[in-house]
């Protein structure tokens, strides 16, 4: 029985994903020259092909990243990741996508000439940014 699952995302900007992973201190490996990576699953024949990036999880089972249309999808053996790292699929994906959104917003804010003057986080991990632009 396969433990491999594809997760569609709203991630469109790979540079912001890389920035988010770096800020979370999560390693990743990318291919070059249009080559593809193979991400390993737990069982025999559970390899995931066609990935151009692998997000490291702290075990030998990573998260593959593939381009689908204008977005990217995450493909992994989520059972193996949870079993060998203790990280649940939903929690891990939530952390990555939240950080991606945060980095994307910061990039847009700075690109419009604003700077962050205050940042707070509530008990639900919602972040509130106060920005200002000097003329």
């Amino acid at each position: 029985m396969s433990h491999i699952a594809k997760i569609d995302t709203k991630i469109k900007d790979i540079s912001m994903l890389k920035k988010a992973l770096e800020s979370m201190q999560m390693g990743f490996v990318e291919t070059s020259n249009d080559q593809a990576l193979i991400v390993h699953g737990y069982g025999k024949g559970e390899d995931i092909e066609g990935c151009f990036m692998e997000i490291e999880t702290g075990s030998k089972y990573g998260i593959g990243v593939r381009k689908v249309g204008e977005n990217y999808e995450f493909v992994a053996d989520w059972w193996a990741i949870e079993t060998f790292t203790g990280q649940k699929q939903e929690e891990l994906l939530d952390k990555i996508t939240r950080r991606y959104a945060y980095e994307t917003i910061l990039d847009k804010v700075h690109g419009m000439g604003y700077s962050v003057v205050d940042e707070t986080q509530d008990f639900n991990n919602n972040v509130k940014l106060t920005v200002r632009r000097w003329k």
Side-chain angles (χ1 to χ4, degrees):
M1 182 171 137
S2 178
H3 303 122
I4 307 294
K6 296 185 292 186
I7 307 297
D8 294 329
T9 71
K10 299 290 183 192
I11 293 175
K12 295 177 185 269
D13 187 338
I14 201 67
S15 66
M16 287 295 108
L17 175 60
K18 291 180 206 177
K19 195 169 187 177
L21 295 171
E22 288 167 354
S23 71
M24 296 170 62
Q25 298 180 340
M26 289 185 76
F28 59 88
V29 177
E30 283 186 275
T31 61
S32 58
N33 302 328
D34 295 329
Q35 296 177 351
L37 285 170
I38 296 176
V39 177
H40 299 290
Y42 180 75
K44 198 174 203 179
E46 294 274 315
D47 290 340
I48 304 163
E49 297 180 350
C51 301
F52 74 91
M53 177 189 281
E54 179 178 2
I55 300 170
E56 298 170 348
T57 62
S59 74
K60 68 179 188 177
Y61 307 105
I63 302 169
V65 181
R66 297 192 291 208
K67 180 121 172 104
V68 178
E70 292 185 19
N71 295 341
Y72 295 89
E73 71 179 3
F74 293 154
V75 187
D77 187 331
W78 298 104
W79 175 87
I81 291 171
E82 183 175 349
T83 300
F84 293 99
T85 70
Q87 300 177 85
K88 294 185 184 294
Q89 173 186 334
E90 279 186 25
E91 293 169 2
L92 185 56
L93 292 176
D94 186 55
K95 284 191 318 192
I96 293 170
T97 54
R98 279 178 169 270
R99 194 64 195 193
Y100 168 82
Y102 176 84
E103 295 296 343
T104 301
I105 290 168
L106 279 185
D107 184 63
K108 300 292 183 210
V109 163
H110 290 131
M112 294 177 0
Y114 289 87
S115 59
V116 176
V117 294
D118 188 41
E119 178 178 329
T120 58
Q121 188 171 356
D122 67 17
F123 63 93
N124 287 329
N125 293 323
N126 295 314
V127 176
K128 178 182 176 185
L129 296 174
T130 304
V131 297
R132 179 178 298 141
R133 180 169 61 177
W134 297 97
K135 293 188 180 199

